[in-house]
Amino acid sequence: MSPTPPAVASGRPTRLVALVIGLCWMVVLFDGLDMFMYGAVLPKMLDDPTLGLTPARGGEIGSYATFGMLVGALAAGTVTDWAGRKKVIAGCCALFSIASGVCAVAPSLGVFGFGRLLAGLGLGGLLPIAIAMVVEYAPRGRGNLMIGSSPRRAGPPPWAGPPGWAASARS
């Protein structure tokens, strides 16, 4: 386990702490957006006859990202022990961004599926590293609070009261 960053040792939030936590929140937000974007555009993709996409093939391509996330999440701990969290989170962000670009210009379903797999690898590594960094940089005794209030899913958080509870019951 790495030592507590000097900026956090005092137990008081600093600009660095706010920056790290804010960036990690953004990473987690993009993780969720990627999954929701595919679900949002899939019906339009199915309606486009030039793509030749069937519902079964659409589900298969959607699962490539989930499989990539599994592999990325399982590999993240080992790779961060070897290279460090900051380098790996930057690499995962780069991989996800490049793979999303590949998906945007994919000339075929095969290339699109490969882009989704690579995006999943990057996203899978992002979430565990972001959580670890938030806990590491959060003020002493506030790590769980920072993780509990992070955007891990769509909709209002459960602590938002009855609207949040209703949304949680549906998720």
Side-chain angles (χ1 to χ4, degrees), residues 36-85:
F36 287 112
M37 290 300 284
Y38 182 69
V41 300
L42 184 59
K44 294 289 184 187
M45 292 173 68
L46 289 170
D47 290 342
D48 187 351
T50 61
L51 291 176
L53 185 64
T54 64
R57 182 79 168 130
E60 180 184 328
I61 290 172
S63 69
Y64 292 164
T66 305
F67 180 73
M69 289 176 76
L70 169 70
V71 173
L74 290 173
T78 303
V79 175
T80 55
D81 287 346
W82 174 69
R85 288 186 186 138

